[in-house]
Amino acid sequence: RVEADSSLTQLLPGGLSHPGGITLLGNRLVVADFHAIRFFDKNTGEQTEIQRNVLGTGKMGGAINIEVDGKNLILVSWIDNDVRVWDPIAKIVVEQYKDLGGPVAAIRFGADIIATTRSEVLLLNDSGSRTLFSLPSPSGLALEGDDLYLTDRESGSIYKIGHNGKILEEPLLITTGLDAPEGLVVSKEGFTVIEARTGNVVSINAAGEKVVLAKISGGSVASSSVQPASMIFNGITIDEEGILFMTGETSRILYKL
């Protein structure tokens, strides 16, 4: 508010708008926040940088999900219907894949990028895009070494889709019975996933046993079939010490566990 003496009064501080995917770039957390990507100190939670997008015209695009790709970031947007590899230093797009049918998540797997959409898993490279699998609602993607896993939101399942750096012929069902799983991390001990409908952060060990570690805010529900069921993606990442970081889209909070 501009006062009569021209001084400024802050009525409401700025902050997260629609936080979705989250990843680690060095020691910084990077959050896809729809109109921007935001960088945070992972130890203090302090925001250290923000790179903004102008909806419909910005070269960065409106990121709903994000994944580290070496020194770059993979940005996913069903708003722009594309996947872009973004250099956050030069602030330029170094790869872009368009007209993807509502992309939800993407990750580098070998030389290629694997992406999930409303109902398909795609392989993206210089030759364009190719459908690998069709699933009810493929959502989050996560690597453990050279193995690749995904969540399927509608079936409540986790699948293994890549082994030893190669895509499997068919998805291998790992576990089911989850409530709208989206964000996923994998370690040698098992899986940790966010159930978007409940906000439960669920740990699953090698025996398939499930334990609720925490509860955060649930995610938004898609308002039309044009949007992926995940709407604003519920993201999770893990650092080398095993600390989990998660986004709460509806609460607009960055969580640490």
Side-chain angles (χ1 to χ4, degrees):
R1 184 177 63 202
V2 182
E3 307 295 352
D5 63 358
S6 298
S7 65
L8 303 178
T9 300
Q10 180 176 271
L11 300 180
L12 185 67
L16 293 164
S17 173
H18 296 286
I22 182 172
T23 193
L24 270 166
L25 183 63
N27 287 319
R28 294 196 296 173
L29 296 163
V30 194
V31 176
D33 197 23
F34 191 4
H35 306 292
I37 56 174
R38 298 176 184 268
F39 298 75
F40 297 89
D41 183 300
K42 75 166 190 173
N43 296 312
T44 66
E46 179 186 0
Q47 181 172 290
T48 59
E49 183 183 357
I50 180 170
Q51 297 182 9
R52 297 188 184 276
N53 176 63
V54 179
L55 187 62
T57 62
K59 58 185 177 182
M60 188 178 74
I64 302 296
N65 208 343
I66 193 166
E67 183 64 53
V68 70
D69 184 27
K71 66 177 184 178
N72 297 325
L73 297 163
I74 300 174
L75 308 181
V76 183
S77 176
W78 58 260
I79 301 294
D80 299 301
N81 205 25
D82 69 6
V83 169
R84 309 180 195 203
V85 180
W86 177 253
D87 182 335
I89 303 299
K91 297 182 177 61
I92 58 171
V93 175
V94 295
E95 290 179 57
Q96 185 173 10
Y97 305 93
K98 301 178 180 181
D99 304 321
L100 298 181
V104 176
I107 198 167
R108 182 75 65 179
F109 191 60
D112 303 317
I113 290 176
I114 306 300
T116 56
T117 71
R118 283 191 301 267
S119 60
E120 294 181 320
V121 182
L122 305 178
L123 184 145
L124 310 176
N125 57 27
D126 291 342
S127 300
S129 66
R130 175 167 64 89
T131 300
L132 296 173
F133 313 115
S134 294
L135 289 168
S137 180
S139 299
L141 292 159
L143 285 167
E144 165 56 22
D146 292 328
D147 294 346
L148 179 60
Y149 298 84
L150 67 76
T151 54
D152 185 84
R153 192 184 194 280
E154 292 307 298
S155 67
S157 306
I158 296 174
Y159 290 92
K160 184 176 184 177
I161 63 168
H163 180 62
N164 286 341
K166 296 183 179 180
I167 295 295
L168 301 178
E169 291 186 6
E170 295 291 337
L172 175 64
L173 180 64
I174 300 298
T175 191
T176 191
L178 295 162
D179 194 351
E182 292 185 13
L184 173 72
V185 294
V186 192
S187 68
K188 292 181 174 59
E189 288 72 38
F191 306 88
T192 306
V193 64
I194 295 184
E195 292 183 321
R197 191 171 287 117
T198 64
N200 286 338
V201 183
V202 181
S203 173
I204 307 162
N205 65 19
E209 299 167 330
K210 301 179 179 70
V211 175
V212 176
L213 301 178
K215 187 178 181 64
I216 63 174
S217 62
S220 298
V221 178
S223 57
S224 80
S225 60
V226 176
Q227 301 163 336
S230 57
M231 186 64 170
I232 303 295
F233 188 81
N234 289 259
I236 183 171
T237 192
I238 189 169
D239 71 5
E240 66 280 357
E241 298 175 356
I243 298 173
L244 296 166
F245 301 89
M246 300 147 291
T247 54
E249 183 251 324
T250 53
S251 63
R252 297 172 173 83
I253 291 175
L254 179 59
Y255 298 94
K256 178 179 179 179
L257 178 60

